[in-house]
Amino acid sequence: MKLNKENFPHEIKIVEVGPRDGLQNEKKVLELEDKKEFINLLSKTGLKTIEVTSFVSPKAIPQMADSASLYSSLNINDIDLPCLVPNLRGFENAMSCGVKEIALFSATSDEFTKKNINCTVDESFDRMSEVAKEAKLKNIKMRGYVSTAFGCPYAGLMDKESLLKVVQRFLDLGVYEVSIGDTIGVAAPSQVHEYLEYLSQHIDMSKIAMHFHDTRGLALTNILVSMEFGIKVFDSSVGGLGGCPYAKGASGNVATEDVLYLMDGLGIKTNVDLDKVVAASKYILDKLGKKSPSKFFNAYINSGY
Ligand code: HMG
Ligand code: MG
């Protein structure tokens, strides 16, 4: 497989998912003030979108139980602050604290959605279409997530036809972008290439973002492959935090600092300040009492550059 840089973008956008995907998988549940300070630090890095929390069942994800008070306490106006919403109940809770953008989520695998959201993929689209109908009436922006796009911890390898079908269903709901998730970090670069090539024959790739977990160390390589298809939006999490409690073996998202360093090396603009990102990572990792899996973070802490 030869990398074709012809379609590489000049600039990419990072969707920072640390406060949501990052913290939802941590044993330690942080204080609201610590999360707020984390989000404030992130908001000063140049990031334009920060997914701050999720309005899900507190029984399913106790780490996000403070979503309403956290969102209401934020005083950030120049950045998009989307929140994950699983159903109408979550949507109404999000609306009552002034959320302006929501993220809807499903997967290619029924086995996964049954564990994650207690319903099949089809049923999840029934729920999401109720939410989408209300969101359109209120002019709320919607983004969609497809989990287990390449592989599922319970059902194994996923096929590209199922991925296309779910992406299309999200576009039909009216989302402005679909984020394709390698939830358990199993995708090989050749598989990402094959699936994106297939998608590019059927849909407008400017509506696609990629969401790689770095469980097996291939997230950066997979980002390079994605850029061959002109993809310009990547989800990442500072310090490489992240994972889904309902995806066995899922570990951190690709680290924001690793993505920034890669883009810097390629001369691709991000408009995000790497030093400030490391400071935000250090803040949250200290609060969690955790080491970071990010290669760049550790090198920077050890060497100062
Ligand atoms: P359920 O048990 O089928 O729901 O859960 P239910 O409607 O029967 O309600 C059960 C209880 O939850 C009730 O409370 C409801 O009121 C309450 P009780 O009567 O027992 O006291 N409830 C809620 N409470 C607060 N907010 C709500 C809400 N809805 C119901 N919105 C449900 C179904 C979807 C609610 C549950 O399974 C859930 O919340 N799941 C969320 C799981 C989750 O957040 N997973 C991680 C995010 S996805 C991810 O990380 C992947 C991603 O990063 C991309 C990738 O990497 O692939 C996005
Ligand atoms: Mg994720």
Side-chain angles (χ1 to χ4, degrees):
M1 205 184 81
K2 199 164 163 249
L3 205 60
N4 174 9
K5 297 207 293 200
E6 237 169 65
N7 288 336
F8 272 27
H10 299 294
E11 185 171 336
I12 60 137
K13 177 181 164 190
I14 289 189
V15 173
E16 172 60 45
V17 294
R20 195 278 304 168
D21 206 336
L23 299 183
Q24 76 182 8
N25 204 34
E26 290 300 325
K27 273 203 195 81
K28 185 166 176 184
V29 181
L30 295 181
E31 299 292 329
L32 183 147
E33 283 307 316
D34 296 339
K35 292 184 183 180
K36 188 177 161 186
E37 176 60 10
F38 176 41
I39 295 164
N40 281 336
L41 287 171
L42 291 172
S43 73
K44 291 171 190 142
T45 58
L47 286 161
K48 285 284 164 246
T49 304
I50 305 171
E51 195 172 81
V52 286
T53 188
S54 56
F55 287 82
V56 295
S57 157
K59 284 186 193 141
I61 310 278
Q63 294 88 337
M64 299 285 120
D66 62 358
S67 50
S69 32
L70 174 66
Y71 193 92
S72 306
S73 76
L74 297 175
N75 190 15
I76 300 170
N77 301 312
D78 50 347
I79 294 178
D80 292 329
L81 303 174
C83 299
L84 215 64
V85 162
N87 54 14
L88 215 41
R89 163 93 189 268
F91 178 74
E92 279 155 11
N93 292 346
M95 289 306 101
S96 67
C97 30
V99 169
K100 296 186 187 66
E101 176 174 338
I102 57 165
L104 299 168
F105 58 111
S106 186
T108 52
S109 152
D110 282 329
E111 286 82 350
F112 177 71
T113 52
K114 279 185 202 158
K115 289 217 165 27
N116 195 36
I117 46 177
N118 199 23
C119 65
T120 62
V121 172
D122 280 348
E123 286 161 352
S124 77
F125 274 93
D126 293 341
R127 283 182 191 170
M128 291 190 293
S129 43
E130 290 174 4
V131 176
K133 202 168 135 203
E134 292 301 313
K136 278 181 202 154
L137 288 174
K138 292 186 159 62
N139 258 332
I140 299 295
K141 278 172 75 183
M142 295 181 284
R143 190 171 195 250
Y145 277 111
V146 186
S147 287
T148 62
F150 303 98
C152 167
Y154 312 106
L157 182 72
M158 292 286 113
D159 57 65
K160 53 184 186 282
E161 292 79 12
S162 305
L163 175 59
L164 174 63
K165 200 170 143 200
V166 178
V167 169
Q168 193 59 62
R169 288 178 89 168
F170 267 119
L171 293 174
D172 294 345
L173 279 187
V175 303
Y176 71 89
E177 186 170 275
V178 184
S179 175
I180 295 181
D182 184 15
T183 315
I184 50 168
V186 282
S190 53
Q191 188 191 10
V192 174
H193 190 278
E194 181 190 336
Y195 285 34
L196 292 183
E197 186 160 65
Y198 178 70
L199 287 189
S200 70
Q201 288 157 8
H202 298 89
I203 52 160
D204 173 3
M205 296 300 273
S206 70
K207 296 206 177 239
I208 299 296
M210 299 304 289
H211 178 108
F212 289 112
H213 283 257
D214 200 25
T215 321
R216 289 164 184 77
L218 286 176
L220 288 181
T221 315
N222 287 334
I223 286 176
L224 280 174
V225 170
S226 308
M227 289 197 299
E228 284 190 89
F229 297 89
I231 290 175
K232 305 191 204 359
V233 184
F234 296 98
D235 302 351
S236 61
S237 175
V238 294
L241 297 171
C244 175
Y246 297 96
K248 197 174 68 185
S251 64
N253 289 87
V254 64
T256 304
E257 42 275 68
D258 290 347
V259 179
L260 292 174
Y261 189 68
L262 171 71
M263 296 302 160
D264 197 37
L266 290 166
I268 296 174
K269 263 172 71 174
T270 59
N271 302 311
V272 182
D273 185 317
L274 188 46
D275 298 297
K276 289 183 180 169
V277 163
V278 171
S281 292
K282 178 143 182 24
Y283 174 83
I284 203 67
L285 288 159
D286 287 349
K287 289 287 169 198
L288 291 166
K290 249 192 102 149
K291 287 196 166 40
S292 171
S294 160
K295 289 269 200 312
F296 182 86
F297 178 86
N298 291 315
Y300 187 100
I301 294 297
N302 292 331
S303 65
Y305 58 90

